[in-house]
Amino acid sequence: MREVTAFAPATVANVSCGFDILGFAIDSLGDKVKVKLTEGSALKVVEIQGDEGKLPFESEKNTCSVAIQAMLDQMDLHVGMEISLYKGLPLGSGMGSSAASAAAALVAANEVLGKPFSKEDLVPFAMEAERIACGAAHADNVAPSILGGFVLIRGYDPLDVIKLPVPDGLHCTLLHPHLELKTSDSRSVLKQQISLKDATMQSGNIAGLIAGLYKSDFPLIGRSLKDVIAEPSRALLIPGFYELREAIKNVGALGSGISGSGPTIFILSSNESIATKAGEVSRKVFDEIGLGVDVYVSKVNVKGAFIL
Amino acid sequence: MREVTAFAPATVANVSCGFDILGFAIDSLGDKVKVKLTEGSALKVVEIQGDEGKLPFESEKNTCSVAIQAMLDQMDLHVGMEISLYKGLPLGSGMGSSAASAAAALVAANEVLGKPFSKEDLVPFAMEAERIACGAAHADNVAPSILGGFVLIRGYDPLDVIKLPVPDGLHCTLLHPHLELKTSDSRSVLKQQISLKDATMQSGNIAGLIAGLYKSDFPLIGRSLKDVIAEPSRALLIPGFYELREAIKNVGALGSGISGSGPTIFILSSNESIATKAGEVSRKVFDEIGLGVDVYVSKVNVKGAFIL
């Protein structure tokens, strides 16, 4: 029977002033999913690698099968599939791990079925997987993982997904410090009421960031990378956060923020050389406080999930 | 002695989801200011027309002279000027009346002095006039009145003014209902604390609006024209506000909102024909509730203040 393997990239959501509405995809880091058509009408997760035994095989709990099932339900189609998941992303890191699995699964399954859906169409199915994995059907990781580039989620009622341009040269440094940060803790520190002044500042900055992406205006992107809503609370959970911000500004990076709900930190830079230097100085900051860190330097991915 | 007359357009600030950060300029409606170099070192407001005797002649209170004085102070220059103000805009209407006077005064005075400043440089001087006129040195009227087009005020610390593109065909209908609305009342109804959910929706919409302007995507502009922060409180002060919104959507307009702190309402449309129809159906709404209204249909002005 026909089988297809797809790759879907890691993603950064909650891009600073883009709290809950903006995400982008990373090159090379990501998950792979193999989907094989079988007899019968059951989805079976038959193999999971790279998860240290933490992910569920039950098809109603695994993000790959949940996403594919949502697609099949929409088509009212009953087919069997064997699903193999090869994790390239650490779990619970803030790099969109569950989103990448769902995205790769959908792109592979869509190909196996002869592409009944466009990539844009796949986003709502992946959101169902996020509902299982994170408790909320967010699109700010799954949409960029599927579509690539910077993606704005304007709103959810109805879902409004807008692909934004990626300036040439824009690079991301991802820092994954070796500390555990529960999403529930990251959520619980968020203030549910904010001042009109802070809301207005956040609006000004997200507007500036969108304009900066369209204009390829790196200084404007840098000036706009400020989050006055989530970051002030969440940064306290990540040792070294503000020291690192100083250090990366000194080597010319545009700015930094918390990726998703952390603990991964993203840094944006106008070229690879600065992105690499930003990674080096960040590593020193974490060394000094005795915290291990994985550093990845990457272009912003513009093509999203693809068939291998 | 040399004399110059300049025109500066009306402006719409608080553009729906762009509360406090976004403004745009209107064609043809506006104020004119004549500036004449004189002996001595005093600024004198010698003539004011079209204000029904409401505006002050004292140079420390008139927005024209206050703006010019801020410019002269920056240059450490002591010259005399006679200033004549010809109001084309109603006072306290929410169309940026004080801003247009200051903008026209600055552009004329800058020309008289041989253009020591760029247009962008003039914005902070006009903000000093807003401080006198409105109690706060806002830039969201003065910047578009001087520069034209859509202007984003990303932030104030330091001032960061970004000119945005204007899609071809975009038209504005301005409705000035004959009712008095004090800025202090409009301000006092604003909630000073807002929910995280509303702040996130506002961010999504302003991001969508900026993207829509860059993409010339009229449906996206329409979907983004939502204000969940200021409008729900302020709309209650303007009879017919929501009936009008229904009526203009039915004729194909993109959306509507309160201009500045009201009572003027702006409507955006993708062409002049729809903008005109939107004005007609709006007039009917106000007729039915027995409220007089002035209706203006105009392109979005892209050149800002200019020498006559």
Side-chain angles (χ1 to χ4, degrees):
Chain A
M1 302 285 275
R2 192 167 148 69
E3 72 174 42
V4 168
T5 302
F7 171 89
T11 46
V12 171
N14 295 341
V15 186
S16 193
C17 50
F19 175 71
D20 251 13
I21 61 165
L22 186 67
F24 66 85
I26 295 297
D27 252 5
S28 66
L29 267 178
D31 287 356
K32 290 176 198 171
V33 174
K34 184 170 76 183
V35 171
K36 185 179 173 184
L37 265 186
T38 61
E39 303 289 336
S41 63
L43 299 185
K44 283 186 193 158
V45 181
V46 294
E47 185 185 8
I48 306 179
Q49 286 185 17
D51 69 327
E52 298 173 0
K54 290 180 183 165
L55 291 177
F57 277 82
E58 297 97 312
S59 62
E60 67 278 13
K61 289 186 185 168
N62 185 287
T63 57
C64 298
S65 41
V66 167
I68 295 174
Q69 190 62 56
M71 181 171 76
L72 297 177
D73 288 349
Q74 165 92 6
M75 301 170 79
D76 199 16
L77 185 67
H78 303 274
V79 294
M81 290 184 185
E82 285 181 5
I83 301 161
S84 306
L85 168 58
Y86 310 102
K87 291 296 299 176
L89 295 179
L91 309 182
S93 59
M95 296 188 210
S97 178
S98 60
S101 299
L106 284 167
V107 168
N110 192 42
E111 184 78 15
V112 156
L113 296 174
K115 278 203 183 168
F117 294 105
S118 72
K119 275 185 154 187
E120 284 74 10
D121 292 336
L122 299 178
V123 174
F125 308 138
M127 288 166 64
E128 291 307 311
E130 290 290 72
R131 192 193 303 278
I132 295 292
C134 322
H138 279 298
D140 47 348
N141 285 112
V142 294
S145 188
I146 292 172
L147 302 172
F150 276 85
V151 179
L152 167 68
I153 315 298
R154 189 197 58 79
Y156 286 90
D157 186 25
L159 180 67
D160 198 355
V161 170
I162 296 136
K163 247 197 115 167
L164 303 170
V166 178
D168 278 353
L170 190 66
H171 275 71
C172 177
T173 311
L174 279 186
L175 310 165
H176 179 212
H178 298 167
L179 65 94
E180 204 172 333
L181 189 55
K182 285 187 185 159
T183 303
S184 55
D185 288 345
S186 272
R187 284 219 185 129
S188 68
V189 298
L190 286 180
K191 289 181 193 161
Q192 293 304 313
Q193 292 288 317
I194 57 176
S195 69
L196 179 60
K197 186 164 162 272
D198 281 349
T200 304
M201 283 181 69
Q202 194 89 345
S203 285
N205 285 318
I206 184 64
L209 178 54
I210 303 294
L213 292 174
Y214 275 97
K215 290 165 59 128
S216 289
D217 182 335
F218 288 121
L220 174 56
I221 292 171
R223 295 197 301 277
S224 303
L225 279 175
K226 286 178 192 146
D227 172 12
V228 296
I229 290 184
E231 188 180 283
S233 315
R234 287 183 167 173
L236 304 174
L237 305 174
I238 306 173
F241 184 85
Y242 291 109
E243 295 86 330
L244 180 152
R245 172 159 293 173
E246 276 306 298
I248 63 111
K249 287 259 175 175
N250 289 338
V251 298
L254 302 173
S256 58
I258 300 169
S259 178
S261 53
T264 294
I265 294 168
F266 75 91
I267 301 165
L268 288 178
S269 299
S270 57
N271 62 52
E272 187 176 5
S273 160
I274 296 176
T276 303
K277 274 186 216 151
E280 288 163 4
V281 296
S282 300
R283 189 185 287 282
K284 274 188 198 154
V285 170
F286 284 116
D287 279 352
E288 277 173 23
I289 54 180
L291 194 58
V293 63
D294 299 316
V295 179
Y296 310 94
V297 174
S298 156
K299 273 193 177 177
V300 172
N301 167 309
V302 290
K303 73 174 176 179
F306 58 92
I307 305 297
L308 288 169
Chain B
M1 300 284 277
R2 192 166 149 70
E3 72 175 39
V4 168
T5 302
F7 171 88
T11 45
V12 170
N14 295 340
V15 186
S16 193
C17 50
F19 175 71
D20 249 14
I21 60 166
L22 186 66
F24 66 85
I26 294 296
D27 251 6
S28 66
L29 266 179
D31 287 356
K32 291 177 197 170
V33 174
K34 183 170 78 182
V35 172
K36 183 177 175 184
L37 264 185
T38 61
E39 303 290 334
S41 63
L43 299 185
K44 284 185 192 159
V45 181
V46 293
E47 184 184 7
I48 306 179
Q49 288 183 15
D51 70 326
E52 298 172 1
K54 290 179 181 166
L55 290 177
F57 278 82
E58 298 95 311
S59 63
E60 68 278 11
K61 290 186 185 169
N62 185 288
T63 57
C64 298
S65 41
V66 167
I68 295 174
Q69 189 62 56
M71 180 171 77
L72 296 178
D73 288 348
Q74 166 91 6
M75 301 171 78
D76 198 17
L77 186 66
H78 303 272
V79 294
M81 291 183 184
E82 284 180 5
I83 301 162
S84 306
L85 168 59
Y86 310 102
K87 291 297 298 178
L89 294 179
L91 307 184
S93 59
M95 296 188 210
S97 177
S98 60
S101 299
L106 283 166
V107 167
N110 192 43
E111 184 79 13
V112 157
L113 296 173
K115 278 203 182 167
F117 294 105
S118 72
K119 273 185 155 186
E120 285 75 9
D121 292 338
L122 298 178
V123 175
F125 307 138
M127 288 166 63
E128 290 308 311
E130 289 291 71
R131 192 192 305 278
I132 296 293
C134 322
H138 280 299
D140 46 348
N141 286 112
V142 293
S145 188
I146 293 172
L147 301 172
F150 276 85
V151 179
L152 166 67
I153 314 300
R154 189 197 58 79
Y156 286 90
D157 187 24
L159 181 67
D160 197 355
V161 171
I162 296 136
K163 244 196 120 166
L164 302 171
V166 178
D168 277 352
L170 191 67
H171 275 70
C172 178
T173 312
L174 279 187
L175 311 164
H176 180 212
H178 299 166
L179 64 94
E180 203 171 335
L181 188 56
K182 284 188 187 160
T183 302
S184 56
D185 288 345
S186 273
R187 286 222 184 125
S188 67
V189 298
L190 286 181
K191 288 181 192 159
Q192 293 305 310
Q193 293 287 316
I194 57 176
S195 70
L196 179 58
K197 186 166 161 272
D198 281 350
T200 303
M201 283 182 68
Q202 193 90 344
S203 285
N205 284 319
I206 184 66
L209 179 54
I210 304 294
L213 293 173
Y214 275 97
K215 290 165 60 129
S216 289
D217 182 336
F218 288 121
L220 175 56
I221 291 171
R223 296 196 301 277
S224 304
L225 279 176
K226 287 177 191 146
D227 172 11
V228 295
I229 290 185
E231 189 181 281
S233 314
R234 287 182 168 174
L236 304 174
L237 305 175
I238 306 173
F241 184 84
Y242 291 109
E243 293 88 332
L244 180 151
R245 171 159 293 171
E246 277 306 297
I248 63 110
K249 288 258 173 174
N250 289 338
V251 298
L254 302 173
S256 59
I258 300 167
S259 178
S261 53
T264 294
I265 294 169
F266 74 91
I267 301 166
L268 289 179
S269 300
S270 56
N271 62 52
E272 187 176 5
S273 160
I274 296 177
T276 303
K277 276 185 216 151
E280 287 162 6
V281 296
S282 300
R283 190 186 287 282
K284 274 188 200 156
V285 169
F286 284 116
D287 278 354
E288 276 173 24
I289 54 179
L291 194 58
V293 63
D294 299 316
V295 178
Y296 310 93
V297 174
S298 156
K299 274 193 177 176
V300 172
N301 166 309
V302 291
K303 71 176 178 178
F306 58 93
I307 304 297
L308 289 168

